[in-house]
Amino acid sequence: MPDPTTTAPIDDRMQKSRADLLARSAPGALLFTIALTALISAVLWPLVAHTWILAWALYMGGVSLARYLQIRSYAAATADADAVRSFNKWFVVGVLSAGVGWGAAGAFLFPPDDLVYQSFLSFILAGITAASVTVYGPVKRALRLFVLVALLPLAASHFVGADQIHIVMGAAVTCYMIFLYHLASIMHESLMRSLTRRFENEDLINELQVAKHLAEDTNQKLKAEISIRNRSASELMEARDKAQQATRVKSDFLATMSHEIRTPMNGVLGMTELLMNTELTAKQYRFADTIRRSGEALLAIINDILDFSKIEAGKLEIQHTVFDLRQLVEDTMAFFAESAHRKKIELVTMYPPEEHAAYRGDPQRIRQILMNLIANAIKFTDRGEIVVKVATLQQSEESSTLKFEVADTGVGIKNDHQGRIFDSFQQADGSTTRKFGGTGLGLAICRRLVELMHGSIGVESRENVGSTFWFSIELSTMPESSISGQIKPDLDLSGIRVLVVDGNETSRDILKHQLSNWDMKFHAASSAAHAMKYLKKGADLGKTFDLTIIDHQLPDSDGVDLARRIKSDSAIADTRLIMLSSIDQLDQTGQWYLAGIEVYINKPIRQVELYDAVSNALSECGPGSTSQPQRRTSKKALAEKQSHEIGAHVLLAEDNPVNKELARAMLEDLGCTIVVVGDGREAVEAIAEAPLDRKQRRYDVVLMDCQMPRMDGFEATLAIRQWEADNGEDTPLPIVAVTANAMEGDRDRCLAAGMSDYLSKPFGREQLAKIVKRWMTVDVEMTHLAKQREQKRSALPVRENSSADVLADLDHAALNNIRALLRDGSNAILAKIIGMYLTNSPILLGKLQEAAVSGNGELMRASAHSLKSASANLGASRLAELCEELEDFGRNDNAISSLATLGIVEFEFEAVCNALSLELDDKAA
Ligand code: ADP
C-alpha cells in the first residue's frame, strides 16, 4: 500500500519537505554561526569596544540557542501539517533574527579606519550570506530579507567612509547583495520545481501502485472464479459422461430386453400359427386364437415400449420419402374396417377429392399416429361413428400444413383429465383403464412423434358425447405425378345422375364430395322408402338415375331388398346398382348378384375403389345385360397357394431349441429340406462340407441367427465370406440374418457384416416363405436375365418373343369368376379382359424396366401396383406377389436393387401371357 504521508495534498507535502530540509541543514549552520561569532569577536576584540562585542556575541549565541531548541522540538517524522507550518514560521523568525545579528556586526563591529579588518569582516559576512543561500533556499522571502538585513548595514558602513576605496567596497557589497537576492529567487524556484516534480512522480507512482493492487485483487478474484468454473465444467463433463453411459446402458438393455422378449414371443406366436393350421376342434381353435391374439397384443405393447424408449434415447429418426397421403389414410382405415364393423361402428374417411395427396414426409410414423388414434377411438366407442378427416390449414408453394382429425362418438374424456393423457403412462381414469385396458403409452408416443415432425397434437372432448383427437404437421408438397393412384377419370362421368341411399349422414356427405368431384349429379336418400320415391319421381319426369349406390344396412330395409325392388320395377330397373358392404358380408355376394347389383365396394370407401366401381358399373359390359363384381384374391390365399411351392435347401443356424423347432416346422411346411446347426462355427463347417447341387450351390439360403454361443452370426458370416473368397466361389451364398433385435441400425449392422438380407423375429410363415423364395430364385433370374439380354435388346413386346413352353400356374377360380359374369358362361368378358391385359401390361413392364434402370422408386411402385392388381384379377397370383415385392422396392426408394426380382417378373410375366393365351384358345376351341 502507498505511504499515507505521500498521499497528502502536494502543497502540504511541499511545506513538510521544506521544513525537513531546513531542519536537516540548520544545525550545521548554527555551529558555523557560533564558530564565526567566536572568530569575529576574537579578531575584533582589540579594535572594537568590548561592550559591543560582548553584547553582539551574546545576542548571536542567544539566537543560535533559541533556533537550536526550535529545531530540536521539531520531530520530522511525526510532524503534522500544523506543526510543519508553525516550524516554518518560527524558522523564518529565527533566520531574520540571525540576519539582524549579522547586520549588527556590519554596523556596530565595523572597525574604524582599518581597511584590513574591514575587509575581514566584509569577507566573513559575504561568506555567511553566500552559505545561507544554500541553507535557506527553501524559504525564499526569509533568505532575501536575511541577505538584505545582513549586508545592508555593512554596505552602509563602507559608504560612510566616503573615500574612494570605501565607496568601491560599499558598491561591491551592494552588488553582491543584489546578486544574492536574485540567486535566492533562482535557487528557490529550481528547488521548488524539483520538489513539485518529485511529488508529482510520487503521486504517479502511488496511482500506479493503487492500480497495481487493484489489478492484483482482480487477478486473484478471476483466478478464484476460473478455478470454480473449471471445477463445475469438470463436474458437468462427468455428469454428461455418466448420462451418456446411462443412455448407452439403457439402449443396450433395451436391445437385450427386446431380444430376450421377442425370442420366446417368436416361439409362442409361431407355434400358435402352426397349431392353428392343424386339425383342431372349434373349442381348441378358439383357445389357440386367443393365445395368438394375446401374443399379438403383448408384442404391440413391447413395440410401444421399444418405440417410446427409442424416442427417449433420441434414436428415432424421421424419414423423408414421397408418399400418397390419400392412399395411406385409406389403407389405414381399411385396416380397421373389420374391428369397427364388429362393434357396429360406422368408419368414415373425409379426404376431400380436391385435396392434394402427394407429399414428402414419414409415412410410417404418420400411419402409426393415425393407427393409434383410430384404435383408441374404436376402443372407447360403443356406438355411432368414427370420422377421420384430413384438411389443409395452410399452403405455400413448397409445403402445406395439414390437420388430421379422428372424431368419435364414444365415452369422451373429462375436462380435467384431458391435459395429462398425452403424458407417458397416463390414462384418463382408473375405471376406463379397467374396462378397456392399455398402457397409457400410445398418446405419449403420438405426441413425441408429432413433436419430432415439428407439429402439434391435441384433443377436444365432452364426456359421454365423444372426442376429437387432432394433430397438425407441415409436409413438403410434391407434384401429384410423383405418386400413382391419382384419379383422373378416363371415363367422362360429368352429368351422370347418381342417387346415394345411406342412413348415415356423414357417409352421404363423403360420397357427395367424392362424386361431385367428378361432376356427377348427386342426390341422396336416407332410407329405402325415400329412395324408391326419388327413383320413381325421376322416371316420371324423364330424369332417370344412371346409378344408385345403396348401403347394405338401411334404417327401414335391407339394401339387397331395395335392389330387388328396384330391379323388379321396369320404370326404374335400368339404373345400375352399387352396394356399399362390410367385410364380413362378402359371402353374400352371390345373392347380391342375383338381386341385380353390379358392383360392391367395402366400407370405408376408398376413392380409387369408388372410381373403379362407378366406372365398372357404368361401363358397357356392366349394367343392363350383366354385372361385374370386383373380385380380389386375398393375400392369405396367395400365400397359402405359394407356400408349398418352395422346396429350397436351407441351412438353419439357431441355438434356441424352441426357435429351432419352429423354423424347422415352418420350413418343412414350405416343402424345404433343412440342415440345422447350433452355432456359427458349425454353420461354417456345414457350408464347407456341403456338396454342390446342379445349380452349383451348396444351399439355396442360410438362415443365420445373430446371437449364438461360441461364434455368433456376424462372425460366422465373415468367416463364410472369407471361405468363399479362399475357395473361389463365384456366387455368394445368400445369408439371411434372423434376429430379435429391433433397434435402429440392426439391419445395417447385418448388411455390413456381409449378410444378404434380414428377417426380424417374431416372423410368420408368410414372411419366411417370402424371404426364402426371394433368395432361392436369384440364380434362376440371373440366368434368365442373361438369356433375355441375349435374345432381345428390348424387353417389349414380351409376348412376341416368349417361348411357348413356359406356362404360369393360374388360379382358375379367378378366371371362372370372370366367366361367370355372363349368364351364358361364355368367354366374351374374359376374352376382352385378357385382351386388355395383354395390351396394357407390357407397357407397365416397360415402365418397370425404365424405373429399375433409372432408379425411379415412385415409377416402380406405381407401375408394380397396377400390374399387381391386374395380374391378381386374372389369377396370376405368383406374378402379383412378385409385383408386390417390386412395389416394396419402389416404396423404399430402392428401385436400383430390384433388377434381380424384375428378371423373375419378366420371366413369370411371359409364362402368365402364355397361360392366358392358352386359356382363351382352349375355351374358344
Ligand atoms: P392406452 O394404451 O391406455 O389407450 P393412450 O395413451 O392411447 O393409452 O391413451 C391414454 C388414455 O387416454 C386412455 O387410457 C383413455 O383414458 C384416454 N383416451 C384416449 N383416446 C380416447 C378416446 N378416443 N376416447 C376416450 N378416451 C380416450
Side-chain angles (χ1 to χ4, degrees):
M1 282 300 285
D3 180 357
T5 55
T6 58
T7 55
I10 284 194
D11 211 38
D12 287 358
R13 276 183 284 154
M14 295 273 281
Q15 293 268 351
K16 168 101 176 41
S17 173
R18 200 161 61 177
D20 290 350
L21 268 176
L22 293 171
R24 252 199 322 273
S25 55
L30 287 179
L31 272 179
F32 191 54
T33 303
I34 288 168
L36 284 178
T37 306
L39 179 68
I40 292 171
S41 304
V43 172
L44 297 181
W45 186 260
L47 301 176
V48 182
H50 290 168
T51 325
W52 284 113
I53 291 182
L54 285 175
W56 178 75
L58 273 176
Y59 172 80
M60 289 306 276
V63 168
S64 296
L65 185 65
R67 291 185 61 201
Y68 177 72
L69 292 175
Q70 190 217 348
I71 290 160
R72 277 285 307 268
S73 72
Y74 173 73
T78 56
D80 61 14
D82 286 343
V84 168
R85 237 169 269 130
S86 124
F87 172 82
N88 283 342
K89 201 165 73 193
W90 286 109
F91 190 85
V92 169
V93 172
V95 169
L96 289 179
S97 309
V100 168
W102 293 118
F108 301 112
L109 305 187
F110 196 74
D113 308 325
D114 192 327
L115 199 57
V116 175
Y117 285 97
Q118 287 169 358
S119 302
F120 163 74
L121 188 62
S122 303
F123 180 76
I124 294 289
L125 288 181
I128 290 283
T129 47
S132 73
V133 169
T134 55
V135 179
Y136 304 137
V139 277
K140 182 173 92 179
R141 238 174 283 147
L143 175 62
R144 280 180 165 178
L145 276 173
F146 178 85
V147 169
L148 289 178
V149 172
L151 293 182
L152 215 53
L154 178 68
S157 299
H158 278 296
F159 283 124
V160 170
D163 54 17
Q164 197 179 359
I165 186 82
H166 279 101
I167 288 171
V168 171
M169 295 272 281
V173 170
T174 307
C175 287
Y176 183 62
M177 185 182 69
I178 292 168
F179 165 71
L180 286 185
Y181 188 88
H182 278 289
L183 189 64
S185 163
I186 291 165
M187 283 288 286
H188 177 82
E189 252 127 55
S190 76
L191 187 69
M192 287 300 112
R193 239 194 331 271
S194 72
L195 275 179
T196 311
R197 202 151 299 145
R198 187 184 120 197
F199 291 129
E200 281 173 355
N201 284 345
E202 258 178 27
D203 279 357
L204 205 62
I205 288 166
N206 276 341
E207 277 167 25
L208 283 175
Q209 266 184 343
V210 171
K212 186 181 144 206
H213 283 289
L214 267 176
E216 276 171 4
D217 268 7
T218 319
N219 215 6
Q220 286 297 332
K221 281 183 195 152
L222 274 176
K223 271 187 190 162
E225 187 90 344
I226 286 168
S227 78
I228 291 172
R229 292 229 171 147
N230 281 347
R231 212 173 317 130
S232 42
S234 69
E235 279 168 8
L236 270 178
M237 301 268 267
E238 223 171 279
R240 191 202 58 187
D241 289 348
K242 274 187 193 158
Q244 279 177 344
Q245 168 79 2
T247 314
R248 259 197 307 277
V249 170
K250 194 171 145 190
S251 345
D252 287 351
F253 172 73
L254 275 171
T256 317
M257 277 300 288
S258 150
H259 176 85
E260 293 305 325
I261 299 172
R262 277 161 179 271
T263 304
M265 280 307 292
N266 187 37
V268 174
L269 285 176
M271 283 297 180
T272 312
E273 200 182 329
L274 287 176
L275 180 66
M276 288 172 75
N277 280 330
T278 61
E279 263 185 35
L280 297 176
T281 64
K283 200 169 173 186
Q284 285 168 334
Y285 187 86
R286 221 174 45 245
F287 289 166
D289 194 41
T290 312
I291 298 176
R292 184 184 59 83
R293 280 174 190 280
S294 312
E296 275 166 3
L298 181 56
L299 202 62
I301 294 174
I302 296 166
N303 284 340
D304 263 7
I305 295 176
L306 207 66
D307 254 356
F308 188 71
S309 318
K310 270 197 242 175
I311 299 173
E312 289 283 278
K315 287 200 164 190
L316 197 132
E317 282 171 16
I318 294 297
Q319 308 291 318
H320 296 281
T321 48
V322 180
F323 67 101
D324 183 338
L325 181 60
R326 184 188 305 280
Q327 194 179 345
L328 184 152
V329 173
E330 289 177 346
D331 284 351
T332 312
M333 293 299 272
F335 180 84
F336 288 104
E338 196 187 337
S339 47
H341 177 76
R342 230 182 295 125
K343 287 188 87 176
K344 300 208 180 330
I345 302 167
E346 194 81 26
L347 203 54
V348 185
T349 323
M350 279 182 111
Y351 196 128
E354 66 275 11
E355 280 282 343
H356 192 81
Y359 292 100
R360 182 187 286 280
D362 192 333
Q364 312 293 22
R365 297 301 167 188
I366 295 174
R367 180 180 287 117
Q368 190 178 353
I369 301 168
L370 275 176
M371 301 260 287
N372 244 315
L373 298 183
I374 300 170
N376 273 350
I378 293 177
K379 183 158 97 175
F380 294 103
T381 304
D382 284 333
R383 76 184 86 85
E385 60 183 28
I386 290 164
V387 182
V388 176
K389 202 157 135 186
V390 182
T392 307
L393 290 185
Q394 261 177 13
Q395 203 167 9
S396 72
E397 244 173 50
E398 275 139 26
S399 68
S400 299
T401 306
L402 297 173
K403 185 172 183 183
F404 298 77
E405 271 182 20
V406 178
D408 64 49
T409 50
V411 294
I413 306 161
K414 283 191 192 130
N415 266 350
D416 49 340
H417 291 158
Q418 288 175 20
R420 61 163 200 247
I421 52 171
F422 291 98
D423 294 339
S424 38
F425 307 107
Q426 287 294 331
Q427 295 174 319
D429 67 55
S431 59
T432 50
T433 315
R434 272 192 300 280
K435 188 170 167 203
F436 299 103
T439 56
L441 267 185
L443 290 178
I445 293 173
C446 288
R447 193 185 73 183
R448 301 294 173 90
L449 289 177
V450 169
E451 282 169 359
L452 278 176
M453 291 189 259
H454 309 294
S456 45
I457 188 167
V459 63
E460 281 137 32
S461 181
R462 273 178 59 200
E463 226 188 334
N464 300 323
V465 175
S467 318
T468 302
F469 280 84
W470 60 265
F471 67 97
S472 58
I473 46 172
E474 193 179 338
L475 293 174
S476 310
T477 336
M478 302 305 290
E480 296 274 5
S481 58
S482 58
I483 52 168
S484 71
Q486 287 313 297
I487 302 163
K488 296 181 204 96
D490 305 328
L491 210 64
D492 183 12
L493 298 178
S494 62
I496 301 271
R497 287 169 55 77
V498 56
L499 176 68
V500 169
V501 196
D502 195 324
N504 183 288
E505 195 183 339
T506 323
S507 281
R508 290 199 303 269
D509 245 23
I510 308 277
L511 282 166
K512 179 178 175 181
H513 260 92
Q514 292 180 326
L515 296 168
S516 309
N517 191 49
W518 300 316
D519 292 333
M520 295 177 79
K521 291 249 175 301
F522 173 90
H523 295 266
S526 59
S527 65
H530 264 127
M532 286 305 286
K533 219 156 72 191
Y534 261 123
L535 288 165
K536 283 184 179 155
K537 202 166 162 196
D540 290 348
L541 296 174
K543 289 185 173 176
T544 49
F545 284 93
D546 303 294
L547 185 66
T548 306
I549 301 176
I550 306 169
D551 185 38
H552 183 259
Q553 267 164 340
L554 295 171
D556 56 344
S557 152
D558 185 25
V560 187
D561 282 346
L562 176 62
R564 282 196 199 104
R565 276 159 65 194
I566 295 172
K567 288 293 170 187
S568 58
D569 185 333
S570 58
I572 55 174
D574 275 352
T575 185
R576 288 145 200 206
L577 300 181
I578 294 178
M579 175 70 91
L580 301 180
S581 70
S582 299
I583 299 256
D584 70 337
Q585 293 155 340
L586 300 191
D587 51 346
Q588 305 163 14
T589 48
Q591 264 185 46
W592 299 352
Y593 170 69
L594 293 176
I597 289 159
E598 351 284 293
V599 180
Y600 66 82
I601 36 178
N602 290 329
K603 287 207 273 187
I605 304 160
R606 296 161 180 241
Q607 216 184 336
V608 186
E609 284 177 359
L610 180 65
Y611 175 75
D612 282 349
V614 170
S615 43
N616 283 343
L618 293 174
S619 67
E620 283 171 86
C621 61
S625 55
T626 55
S627 56
Q628 187 195 11
Q630 291 192 328
R631 292 177 202 278
R632 279 163 203 266
T633 316
S634 77
K635 255 191 184 174
K636 197 159 179 233
L638 279 183
E640 265 165 20
K641 187 174 156 17
Q642 295 295 317
S643 64
H644 291 283
E645 292 174 11
I646 298 185
H649 186 40
V650 181
L651 174 66
L652 170 70
E654 165 71 80
D655 63 313
N656 181 301
V658 177
N659 287 341
K660 215 187 263 186
E661 256 340 283
L662 178 65
R664 184 205 291 275
M666 283 184 179
L667 287 166
E668 277 172 359
D669 204 34
L670 293 168
C672 299
T673 51
I674 313 142
V675 173
V676 187
V677 292
D679 62 45
R681 199 168 296 165
E682 287 177 12
V684 182
E685 285 163 10
I687 288 167
E689 286 163 10
L692 287 168
D693 66 7
R694 62 182 173 76
K695 290 182 279 175
Q696 296 302 300
R697 262 199 179 168
R698 291 169 203 279
Y699 290 97
D700 286 314
V701 64
V702 180
L703 295 178
M704 180 76 78
D705 185 29
C706 288
Q707 293 189 6
M708 288 183 290
R710 292 216 300 167
M711 183 188 267
D712 68 18
F714 302 111
E715 285 175 77
T717 306
L718 289 174
I720 292 168
R721 296 296 178 230
Q722 187 58 49
W723 181 87
E724 286 173 341
D726 295 344
N727 289 277
E729 300 266 313
D730 291 339
T731 341
L733 206 50
I735 301 176
V736 176
V738 183
T739 168
N741 286 347
M743 295 296 278
E744 184 99 353
D746 279 341
R747 191 189 169 92
D748 294 344
R749 199 172 156 216
C750 292
L751 299 183
M755 293 173 172
S756 326
D757 211 334
Y758 173 98
L759 180 63
S760 164
K761 284 188 210 168
F763 51 81
R765 196 177 47 167
E766 210 177 310
Q767 284 163 291
L768 184 63
K770 198 166 169 178
I771 214 149
V772 172
K773 262 194 281 176
R774 178 183 305 156
W775 288 105
M776 74 164 287
T777 42
V778 164
D779 64 352
V780 176
E781 75 210 27
M782 289 300 181
T783 332
H784 175 71
L785 267 185
K787 197 175 83 190
Q788 286 259 309
R789 280 195 205 107
E790 223 173 81
Q791 278 182 352
K792 50 198 173 184
R793 281 269 155 259
S794 140
L796 295 175
V798 177
R799 275 208 76 215
E800 285 160 343
N801 291 329
S802 64
S803 51
D805 55 353
V806 193
L807 285 185
D809 190 6
L810 298 178
D811 175 2
H812 283 90
L815 298 173
N816 290 337
N817 282 336
I818 300 176
R819 275 191 198 100
L821 298 179
L822 280 188
R823 283 188 186 126
D824 62 5
S826 78
N827 255 353
I829 292 185
L830 186 63
K832 193 166 177 179
I833 293 178
I834 291 180
M836 276 162 64
Y837 182 85
L838 294 178
T839 331
N840 291 328
S841 306
I843 301 172
L844 291 172
L845 203 59
K847 284 189 182 166
L848 284 172
Q849 286 161 337
E850 184 192 326
V853 173
S854 64
N856 184 338
E858 263 318 296
L859 183 65
M860 170 148 290
R861 194 190 65 73
S863 318
H865 184 81
S866 299
L867 189 57
K868 179 183 77 177
S869 49
S871 306
N873 283 339
L874 283 171
S877 13
R878 168 139 172 82
L879 181 58
E881 180 141 311
L882 288 166
C883 287
E884 194 168 318
E885 282 183 33
L886 287 185
E887 214 180 330
D888 284 345
F889 276 116
R891 197 171 290 122
N892 299 331
D893 230 357
N894 198 13
I896 280 286
S897 319
S898 68
L899 220 56
T901 313
L902 186 59
I904 321 175
V905 167
E906 288 169 2
F907 182 76
E908 184 67 22
F909 177 72
E910 220 172 291
V912 166
C913 290
N914 292 337
L916 284 175
S917 313
L918 200 69
E919 195 70 26
L920 279 180
D921 296 346
D922 279 358
K923 298 295 160 185

